[in-house]
């Protein structure tokens, strides 16, 4: 920084010497030139250092003040005052009131990471991050004993609804340090801030909950009477809320407040009021389940049995009863009722086991129905009927709540494909009879399945009757279109046209413009299929007019409109719409969305034979992987159109990008690139790209598709050559259901090639795989079920992780470990064990903690790396707990693994996570190096609010890493300068 300042001063002196030669010493011009030169030097200097630049800004202002003081009557002063003469690019007022304060803020921030975090939080108005960041800054200042700044941040930077809570946190910090008088003062400030929250309908609930929190703090401080008076005011606020749901929620917060201060009777009375409000309220849609809210109110009043009864008696929901029980268990844990919490957590696990058992049978039955469909396609109707009977037997074993209607509908479709119309009809009737037991969120979907079943067996009238049961115009339009297509196929044009007209009327009731346009285009396409191009054109014109009147039409809508015109051959109109779509991409802030849109536009320009324009669009794509994907898809389109020369050129360009080791291609692009290259006829190149795909569940379908393409091009030998590879990969999958699906796909390919014996062999293996339990599941019931279903069920991984957290809350480490052992995925299991290890370390049980850390570490090595890498932050967190238990050598070893894992990553998040761990372990320089790398890796997000969070987290990590020698402080300053520059480039959301 000293070198930078010296250079700036030398530059200024050169200008000063020149000015002194040109003007007399008393000339006002010399002061003005000096001020301008200093300002110019400041602007040059801040490219490297804001701290060095700020004194130059100040000196520039001082020169201007001297000019105004010494030559008040000069014409130069008059012109500057009027804004006719600028100082550099600024008017004087701008320089004083905007530029100088801004330079001061940047200079201060460059010397203090917490000020950088604050600067970013103030710039970006995302409420969740802003509140989190400002609270974090204030609490860190408090930890560093910088109490005045902590209070200043709390009072001047926070949103008023969050301010009382932060002041309570600071008050608690003072109390822990024995500063009782200061703690008391902040408590009074928290009360004042809570009372200052306006009493509008939008903010009464916030004020009530904040007052309840302040009341609790007063009681803790030994001032119960004061606390009771405050919570009474919170109760008054809650009662003023007009909307029943929010009134109930606010009263629930107040009741919890009464519980915390030992006023159980008053709390119970309020919980009874909440229960009554919820029972009487009419607000089911868009709000949490009334049953859950009532159950939670009973639980908060300590009436757990009543809460459990309500949960068990509620109808099936998409969320699942196990989650509701888990919430009740957490309430019991927070109330200190550990025995009841333990009991309810076990209950949640048992319900989860029952649910997964049901899922296991449903999954097996679904696979059997799918294999029946495969059997029908390869001409084995007898096997198909046998598989359908087996599926029905599997479902008959299920007891309790389940979605019978969906299963009956899927079975009916299976029987209809096998030509068993009567059985299909019987099952569709059963599906309709049980539709009321279908969870609300699935009902429309299942009704659609039933309608499809009736269409398959030619009972169009029955399919149309389903429309009256459909709640949404989208569902009704879907059935009308499906029946119209079937009638058109049966040469019943008039009936089909009438249904399409009805479907078009349904779009008038659609509230989403994107979906409305989607359905209009589907109807236009249906008209085109019937040969009614004029009707299709009229409907497309109407859709175009609608898109002009809406501010909410997405680029996807333009693509669909273009597709419609391409289908009916009006290419000039398609070109105009694609130009509009291209223009719309200019305002897209999300680079990922923009790249996708540009790819779609480029492909459509190829479809209308505007290849040069398509290339220009593709060149705008910023992501290399996406560009390769665009080139390969354009090549496929050109190859289908017969332009083999240009197709070959584009396929070569896609391969050059995808196979370039110096270009970081995100793995998820590879399957799309490979498949499109295959469609473009470049199958050997497609195979090479396919070999780079690591995930077997993506690689298997990709190789199957390439095999089909080979065979479709009369290259049977090459296509057949891929099948053993696919089979070998499928056989390695532990999940029998996945194995069955892929074996069934192989069976279809063999059958299509006339290899009936091989097809039947694959079908037999698929059937066995669908019924086969995974290896190593000879333990208890829950272990078997979790091992079978959980590898495919993230929802239940999340639930088990939550149960682990619940057991940690009530200090039941053994049960937490037992629950963690049920988790099937390495990452989630390692995280759960790490959470328990951290708890054991915090409670002085280091030997047990070390044992779990070793297990978590072993599991971490099973986690597959990816561009976003769950693995490196996991390793870093494991290292952090080793540091916590003072096993520094092991901690450094695992930290080195985490750092090594970040080397090939193209996303800042993992670098930041590992930097936090490094700083926490005393490895400050490594932490700073990681943060510098994080600034320079490609950022896949390109969304400003995400970048702001990343930069803010870098600043917090820099705060942890900045304790050290003066060399580290210089490195920190350089890092902070870059972070501020990046933050300044973000669009201001305020």
């Amino acid at each position: 920084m000293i070198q930078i300042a010296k250079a700036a001063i030398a530059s200024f002196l050169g200008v000063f010497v020149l000015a002194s030669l040109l003007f007399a010493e008393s000339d006002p011009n010399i002061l003005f030139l000096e001020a301008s030169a200093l300002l110019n030097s400041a602007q040059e200097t801040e490219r490297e250092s804001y701290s060095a630049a700020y004194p130059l800004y100040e000196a520039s202002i001082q020169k201007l003040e001297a000019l105004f003081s010494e030559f008040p009557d000069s014409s130069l002063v008059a012109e500057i005052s009027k804004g006719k003469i600028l100082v550099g690019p600024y008017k004087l007022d701008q320089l004083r009131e905007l530029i100088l304060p801004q330079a001061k803020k940047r200079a201060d921030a460059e010397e203090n990471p917490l000020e950088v975090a604050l600067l970013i939080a103030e710039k970006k108005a995302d409420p969740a991050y802003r509140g989190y960041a400002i609270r974090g800054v204030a609490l860190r200042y408090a930890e560093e004993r910088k109490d005045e700044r902590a209070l200043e941040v709390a009072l001047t930077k926070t949103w008023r609804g969050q301010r009382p809570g932060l002041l309570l946190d600071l008050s608690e910090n003072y109390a822990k340090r024995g500063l009782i008088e200061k703690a008391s003062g902040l408590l009074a400030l928290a009360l004042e801030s809570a009372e200052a929250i306006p009493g509008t309908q939008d903010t009464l609930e916030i004020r009530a909950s904040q007052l309840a929190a302040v009341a609790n703090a007063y009681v803790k401080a030994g001032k119960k009477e004061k606390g009771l008076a405050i919570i009474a005011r919170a109760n008054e606020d809650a009662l003023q809320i007009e909307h029943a749901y929010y009134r109930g929620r606010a009263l629930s917060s107040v009741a919890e407040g009464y519980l915390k201060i030992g006023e159980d009777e008053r709390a119970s009375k309020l919980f009874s009021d909440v229960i009554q409000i919820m029972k009487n309220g009419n607000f089911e849609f868009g709000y949490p389940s009334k049953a859950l809210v009532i159950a939670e109110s009973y639980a908060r009043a300590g009436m757990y049995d009543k809460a459990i009864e309500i949960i068990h008696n509620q109808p099936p929901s998409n969320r699942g009863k196990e989650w509701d029980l888990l919430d009740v268990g957490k309430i019991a844990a927070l109330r200190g009722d550990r025995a009841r919490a333990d009991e309810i957590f076990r209950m949640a696990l048992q319900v989860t086991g029952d649910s997964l058992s049901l899922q296991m049978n449903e999954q097996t039955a679904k696979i059997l129905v799918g294999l029946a469909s495969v059997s029908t396609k390869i001409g084995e109707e007898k096997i198909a009927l046998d598989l359908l009977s087996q599926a029905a037997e599997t479902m008959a074993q299920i007891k309790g709540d389940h979605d019978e209607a969906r299963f009956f509908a899927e079975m009916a479709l299976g029987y209809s494909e096998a030509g068993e119309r009567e059985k299909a009809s019987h099952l569709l009737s059963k599906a309709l009879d049980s539709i009321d037991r279908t969870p609300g969120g699935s009902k429309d979907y299942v009704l659609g399945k039933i309608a499809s079943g009736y269409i398959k067996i030619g009972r169009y009238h029955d399919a149309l009757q389903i429309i009256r049961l459909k709640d949404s115009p989208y569902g009704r339009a879907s059935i009308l279109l499906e029946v119209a297509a079937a009638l058109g196929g049966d040469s019943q044009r008039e009936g089909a046209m009438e249904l399409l007209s009805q479907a078009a009327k349904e779009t008038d009731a659609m509230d989403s413009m994107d979906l409305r346009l989607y359905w209009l285009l589907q109807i236009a396409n249906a008209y085109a299929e019937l040969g009614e191009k004029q009707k299709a054109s009229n409907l497309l014109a109407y859709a175009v007019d609608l898109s002009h009147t809406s501010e909410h039409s997405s680029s996807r809508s333009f693509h669909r409109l273009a597709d419609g015109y391409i289908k009916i051959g009006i290419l000039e109109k398609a070109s105009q719409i694609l130009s509009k779509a291209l223009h719309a991409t200019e305002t897209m802030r999300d680079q990922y969305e923009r790249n996708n849109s540009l790819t779609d536009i480029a492909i459509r320009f190829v479809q209308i034979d505007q290849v040069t324009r398509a290339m220009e669009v593709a060149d705008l794509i910023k992501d290399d992987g996406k560009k390769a994907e665009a080139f390969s898809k354009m090549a496929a389109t050109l190859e289908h159109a017969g332009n083999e020369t240009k197709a070959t050129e584009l396929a070569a360009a896609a391969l050059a990008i995808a196979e370039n080791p110096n270009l970081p291609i995100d793995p998820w692009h590879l399957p799309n690139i490979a498949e499109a290259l295959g469609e473009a006829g470049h199958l050997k190149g497609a195979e090479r790209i396919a070999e780079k795909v690591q995930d077997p569940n993506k690689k298997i379908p990709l190789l199957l598709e390439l095999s089909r393409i080979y065979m479709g091009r009369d290259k049977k030998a090459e296509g057949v050559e891929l099948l053993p590879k696919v089979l070998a990969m499928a056989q390695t999958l532990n999940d029998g259901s996945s194995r069955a699906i892929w074996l069934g796909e192989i069976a279809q390919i063999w059958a299509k090639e006339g290899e009936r014996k091989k097809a039947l062999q694959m079908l037999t293996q698929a059937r066995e795989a669908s019924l086969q339990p995974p290896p190593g599941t000879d333990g208890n019931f829950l272990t078997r079920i979790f091992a079978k279903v959980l590898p495919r069920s993230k929802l239940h991984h999340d639930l088990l992780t939550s149960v682990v957290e619940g057991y940690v809350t009530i200090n039941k480490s053994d049960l937490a470990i037992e629950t963690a052992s049920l988790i099937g995925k390495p990452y989630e299991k390692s995280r759960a064990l790490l959470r328990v290890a951290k708890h054991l370390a915090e409670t002085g049980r280091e030997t047990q903690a070390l044992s779990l850390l070793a297990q978590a570490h072993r599991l971490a090595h099973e986690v597959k790396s990816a561009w976003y890498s769950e693995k490196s932050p996991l390793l870093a967190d494991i290292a952090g707990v080793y540091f916590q238990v003072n096993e520094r050598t092991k901690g450094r070893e695992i930290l080195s693994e985490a750092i090594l894992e970040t080397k090939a990553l193209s996303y800042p998040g993992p670098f930041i996570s590992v930097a936090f761990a490094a700083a926490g372990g005393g490895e400050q320089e490594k932490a700073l190096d990681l943060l510098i790398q994080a600034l320079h890796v490609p950022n896949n997000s390109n969304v400003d609010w995400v970048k702001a969070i990343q930069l803010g987290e870098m600043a917090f990590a820099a705060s942890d890493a900045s304790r050290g020698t003066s060399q580290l402080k210089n490195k920190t300053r350089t890092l902070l300068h870059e972070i501020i520059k990046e933050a300044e480039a973000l669009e201001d959301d305020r």
Side-chain angles (χ1 to χ4, degrees):
M1 191 175 81
I2 293 169
Q3 295 303 318
I4 295 167
K6 282 181 178 176
I9 291 166
S11 172
F12 160 67
L13 287 173
V15 175
F16 173 74
V17 170
L18 177 63
S20 63
L21 291 172
L22 292 173
F23 301 106
E25 197 172 318
S26 59
D27 195 318
N29 290 297
I30 196 167
L31 286 171
F32 179 71
L33 277 176
E34 288 172 0
S36 298
L38 283 162
L39 178 62
N40 183 58
S41 294
Q43 290 172 319
E44 288 292 320
T45 303
E46 70 180 2
R47 291 179 185 175
E48 300 295 329
S49 170
Y50 294 118
S51 311
Y54 178 65
L56 296 171
Y57 277 113
E58 271 194 315
S60 176
I61 292 287
Q62 287 165 6
K63 289 291 180 185
L64 290 170
E65 286 172 350
L67 169 62
F68 274 64
S69 172
E70 292 176 28
F71 305 99
D73 299 325
S74 72
S75 59
L76 179 59
V77 167
E79 294 294 290
I80 293 171
S81 299
K82 291 174 185 175
K84 291 184 177 179
I85 291 181
L86 303 180
V87 187
Y90 307 114
K91 292 181 180 179
L92 181 61
D93 287 349
Q94 282 180 310
L95 193 57
R96 278 177 174 159
E97 295 167 18
L98 180 65
I99 302 304
L100 187 66
Q102 193 176 62
K104 175 78 166 74
K105 184 180 280 191
R106 288 170 177 162
D108 289 345
E110 193 176 73
E111 298 295 322
N112 185 341
L114 292 179
E115 292 300 317
V116 176
L118 194 60
L119 183 148
I120 295 166
E122 286 185 285
K123 184 178 177 67
K124 306 305 295 176
D126 175 64
Y129 179 70
R130 192 164 193 268
Y132 154 80
I134 290 171
R135 182 177 180 275
V137 169
L139 292 177
R140 286 195 184 212
Y141 272 128
E143 287 168 13
E144 294 174 8
R145 304 294 195 265
K146 294 176 181 175
D147 297 332
E148 285 186 18
R149 184 58 179 150
L151 184 57
E152 184 184 356
V153 169
L155 291 176
T156 62
K157 306 296 183 184
T158 51
W159 175 58
R160 62 193 174 194
Q162 295 171 328
R163 191 173 302 147
L166 178 51
L167 289 167
L168 289 176
D169 289 336
L170 293 176
S171 173
E172 190 174 343
N173 178 278
Y174 280 140
K176 284 178 181 175
R177 288 158 53 191
L179 303 172
I180 304 305
E181 193 173 329
K182 279 191 172 183
S184 182
L186 280 185
L187 200 51
L189 267 178
L191 175 58
E192 188 181 314
S193 296
E195 290 174 333
I197 297 171
T200 66
Q201 286 299 311
D202 290 336
T203 56
L204 273 170
E205 185 186 355
I206 295 167
R207 189 165 79 181
S209 64
Q210 294 291 345
L211 283 170
V214 172
N216 184 39
Y218 267 102
V219 173
K220 275 187 180 177
K223 299 177 180 178
K224 185 166 184 178
E225 289 304 315
K226 179 83 170 172
L228 285 170
I230 295 167
I231 203 165
R233 270 183 273 166
N235 193 24
E236 289 169 13
D237 279 349
L239 290 169
Q240 290 177 49
I241 298 171
E242 293 170 4
H243 193 289
Y245 174 76
Y246 296 112
R247 183 167 70 253
R249 198 164 69 173
L251 285 170
S252 185
S253 294
V254 175
E256 283 189 67
Y258 273 122
L259 276 178
K260 286 175 182 174
I261 61 178
E263 293 289 325
D264 292 8
E265 196 173 322
R266 291 184 183 182
S268 291
K269 167 70 172 66
L270 275 180
F271 280 128
S272 297
D273 292 345
V274 172
I275 289 164
Q276 207 54 47
I277 289 167
M278 293 299 163
K279 283 179 177 176
N280 296 337
N282 183 24
F283 42 78
E284 194 68 56
F285 182 75
Y287 297 91
S289 152
K290 283 200 289 185
L292 174 60
V293 177
I294 294 167
E296 287 183 346
S297 297
Y298 276 122
R300 289 188 178 99
M303 301 167 70
Y304 304 117
D305 291 336
K306 189 71 178 170
I308 292 165
E309 180 189 337
I310 286 171
I311 289 169
H312 280 310
N313 289 337
Q314 67 175 315
S317 70
N318 292 324
R319 184 172 191 256
K321 292 176 182 178
E322 58 268 41
W323 288 95
D324 295 349
L325 286 167
L326 180 63
D327 286 347
V328 170
K330 286 178 179 176
I331 291 167
L334 291 171
R335 281 174 52 84
D337 294 333
R338 294 185 175 186
R340 289 311 303 268
D342 178 13
E343 179 191 331
I344 297 165
F345 288 148
R346 287 173 183 274
M347 208 176 288
L349 279 176
Q350 186 59 50
V351 171
T352 304
D354 294 344
S355 167
L356 289 173
S357 175
L358 182 153
Q359 280 186 33
M360 189 163 68
N361 280 359
E362 281 187 334
Q363 184 173 283
T364 301
K366 191 171 181 179
I367 296 295
L368 290 168
V369 171
L371 292 175
S373 175
V374 172
S375 302
T376 303
K377 286 173 185 172
I378 67 174
E380 297 290 341
E381 284 81 5
K382 187 175 181 303
I383 293 175
L385 292 173
D386 185 30
L387 286 164
L388 288 168
S389 297
Q390 195 168 2
E393 287 171 17
T394 303
M395 287 301 290
Q397 297 170 25
I398 296 176
K399 306 296 179 190
D401 295 327
H402 66 280
D403 194 350
E404 288 179 315
R406 185 199 297 256
F407 174 70
F408 288 141
E410 287 175 351
M411 284 282 289
L413 287 168
Y415 275 113
S416 68
E417 285 184 3
E420 294 283 336
R421 289 163 54 92
E422 284 188 23
K423 284 185 178 178
S425 178
H426 174 66
L427 284 166
L428 290 169
S429 297
K430 288 182 75 171
L432 271 179
D433 289 342
S434 56
I435 193 69
D436 289 338
R437 294 193 292 280
T438 297
S442 305
K443 191 172 181 179
D444 249 29
Y445 169 79
V446 176
L447 284 168
K449 282 271 188 188
I450 296 169
S452 296
Y454 278 125
I455 292 166
K456 285 270 187 189
I457 60 174
R459 289 176 56 176
Y460 304 138
H461 176 75
D462 290 317
L464 291 171
Q465 291 302 305
I466 304 292
I467 290 173
R468 60 189 173 80
L469 301 175
K470 282 270 194 177
D471 293 329
S472 74
Y474 311 106
R476 293 193 291 271
S478 174
I479 292 175
L480 288 164
L481 269 172
E482 201 175 344
V483 178
L487 288 172
D490 287 351
S491 302
Q492 298 181 44
R493 285 173 55 81
E494 285 187 20
M497 298 274 283
E498 172 60 29
L499 293 180
L500 290 178
S501 175
Q502 288 181 43
K505 289 174 185 174
E506 287 289 350
T507 64
D508 294 338
M510 295 178 182
D511 50 8
S512 163
M513 181 55 73
D514 254 6
L515 288 174
R516 188 177 183 188
L517 290 171
Y518 168 80
W519 284 108
L520 284 169
L521 296 172
Q522 293 302 307
I523 298 163
N525 285 340
Y527 274 124
E529 290 290 337
L530 291 170
E532 294 287 340
K533 290 195 175 181
Q534 188 56 53
K535 284 188 180 292
S537 179
N538 292 344
L539 210 54
L540 286 169
Y542 174 58
V544 170
D545 289 343
L546 274 180
S547 71
H548 289 160
T549 61
S550 170
E551 296 177 5
H552 305 292
S553 298
S554 68
S555 60
R556 190 167 57 244
S557 297
F558 287 126
H559 303 163
R560 288 170 180 158
L561 286 166
D563 287 341
Y565 280 111
I566 291 169
K567 191 174 183 71
I568 60 174
I570 305 179
L571 303 187
E572 186 179 343
K573 192 70 179 174
S575 179
Q576 291 170 10
I577 289 168
L578 288 173
S579 296
K580 287 181 183 177
L582 183 59
H583 180 69
T585 64
E586 293 172 8
T587 58
M588 288 181 181
R589 290 175 59 190
D590 185 333
Q591 192 63 47
Y592 174 78
E593 184 185 346
R594 185 169 188 265
N595 287 336
N596 282 340
S597 188
L598 289 168
T599 300
D600 291 341
I601 293 166
I603 292 165
R604 284 163 176 80
F605 271 124
V606 170
Q607 288 174 347
I608 61 174
D609 202 24
Q610 293 187 24
V611 180
T612 304
R613 189 82 188 276
M615 292 296 294
E616 290 169 357
V617 174
D619 282 338
L620 297 173
I621 298 169
K622 299 299 182 189
D623 179 88
D624 289 318
K626 195 67 186 176
K627 185 173 284 190
E629 188 180 321
F631 283 158
S632 57
K633 287 180 176 178
M634 290 159 65
T637 306
L638 285 163
E639 205 271 345
H640 293 158
N643 189 343
E644 292 184 12
T645 304
K646 193 66 182 177
T648 299
E649 181 187 323
L650 280 169
L655 276 167
I657 296 171
E659 295 186 312
N660 187 336
N662 298 318
L663 293 177
I665 303 294
D666 290 328
W668 68 65
H669 292 307
L670 296 174
N672 294 336
I673 295 169
E675 186 174 339
L677 285 169
E679 289 172 2
H682 286 256
L683 284 149
K684 290 301 177 186
E687 280 191 65
R688 292 199 302 273
I689 301 301
E691 285 305 312
K692 294 173 178 282
V693 178
Q694 299 298 314
D695 183 349
N697 283 308
K698 290 180 180 174
K699 191 168 186 173
I700 290 172
L702 174 57
L703 290 175
L704 284 170
E705 185 57 30
L706 294 180
S707 175
R708 290 188 192 99
I709 294 170
Y710 268 125
M711 291 175 177
R713 291 171 177 266
D714 294 327
K715 295 182 177 181
K716 183 175 178 179
E718 290 92 332
V720 166
E721 195 178 314
L722 290 177
L723 293 180
K725 289 183 184 178
V726 176
L727 180 58
M729 271 187 286
Q731 299 289 20
T732 64
L733 298 174
N734 285 330
D735 179 13
S737 301
S738 296
R739 208 158 61 245
I741 290 168
W742 302 130
L743 292 170
E745 291 287 323
I746 297 171
Q748 286 189 71
I749 294 175
W750 282 127
K752 193 172 181 181
E753 294 304 310
E755 299 279 358
R756 185 173 178 275
K757 187 177 178 181
K758 288 181 179 177
L760 287 173
Q761 184 184 359
M762 288 298 101
L763 200 57
T764 302
Q765 288 186 33
R767 183 177 189 170
E768 289 169 359
S770 70
L771 300 169
Q772 181 184 345
T777 56
D778 298 329
N780 64 47
F781 169 73
L782 275 179
T783 305
R784 289 201 306 277
I785 291 174
F786 280 100
K788 172 76 176 174
V789 182
L790 274 181
R792 296 160 63 90
S793 176
K794 184 180 185 306
L795 188 67
H796 288 96
H797 279 303
D798 292 345
L799 183 126
L800 289 174
T801 303
S802 295
V803 174
V804 169
E805 186 65 44
Y807 277 133
V808 167
T809 304
I810 60 172
N811 202 23
K812 294 269 188 179
S813 303
D814 53 340
L815 293 172
I817 295 167
E818 186 183 323
T819 305
S821 71
L822 297 173
I823 298 174
K825 289 189 176 180
Y827 174 77
E828 285 83 353
K829 189 170 189 171
S830 180
R831 276 273 171 217
L833 290 171
L834 180 61
R835 176 67 188 93
V836 185
K838 189 172 172 56
H839 169 70
L840 290 168
E842 287 165 352
T843 51
R845 289 171 282 177
E846 292 183 2
T847 305
Q848 283 179 274
L850 287 169
S851 172
L852 289 183
L853 284 172
Q855 290 182 54
H857 185 211
R858 282 196 299 274
L859 285 163
H861 285 292
E862 296 177 29
V863 177
K864 291 180 180 174
S865 300
W867 69 269
Y868 52 86
S869 183
E870 295 173 322
K871 190 172 184 177
S872 55
L874 173 59
L875 287 167
D877 289 344
I878 293 169
V881 183
Y882 270 113
F883 288 135
Q884 188 180 333
V885 296
N886 215 25
E887 290 282 338
R888 306 195 66 76
T889 303
K890 189 67 177 176
R892 287 194 193 98
E893 177 191 319
I894 297 172
L895 181 64
S896 296
E897 290 177 23
I899 292 170
L900 190 64
E901 190 68 29
T902 63
K903 296 293 184 187
L905 300 181
S906 57
Y907 183 68
F911 290 88
I912 300 167
S913 298
V914 180
F916 270 115
E923 301 285 338
Q924 269 80 18
E925 189 157 12
K926 285 181 180 176
L928 290 171
D929 288 340
L930 283 160
L931 292 172
I932 290 165
Q933 289 175 59
L935 269 174
H936 297 110
V937 295
N939 194 322
N940 288 306
S941 165
N942 291 305
V943 181
D944 276 2
W945 67 266
V946 175
K947 281 186 176 179
I949 291 174
Q950 291 166 354
L951 292 169
E953 289 301 289
M954 285 184 206
F956 278 120
S959 175
D960 288 351
S962 60
R963 301 180 296 274
T965 64
S966 116
Q967 184 184 354
L968 286 187
K969 290 190 187 304
N970 289 336
K971 188 179 269 193
T972 306
R973 190 182 293 117
T974 303
L975 169 68
L976 294 177
H977 180 82
E978 293 300 313
I979 292 174
I980 294 166
K981 272 207 301 190
E982 289 280 336
E984 293 287 340
L986 300 178
E987 188 171 326
D988 199 328
D989 277 353
R990 285 175 297 176

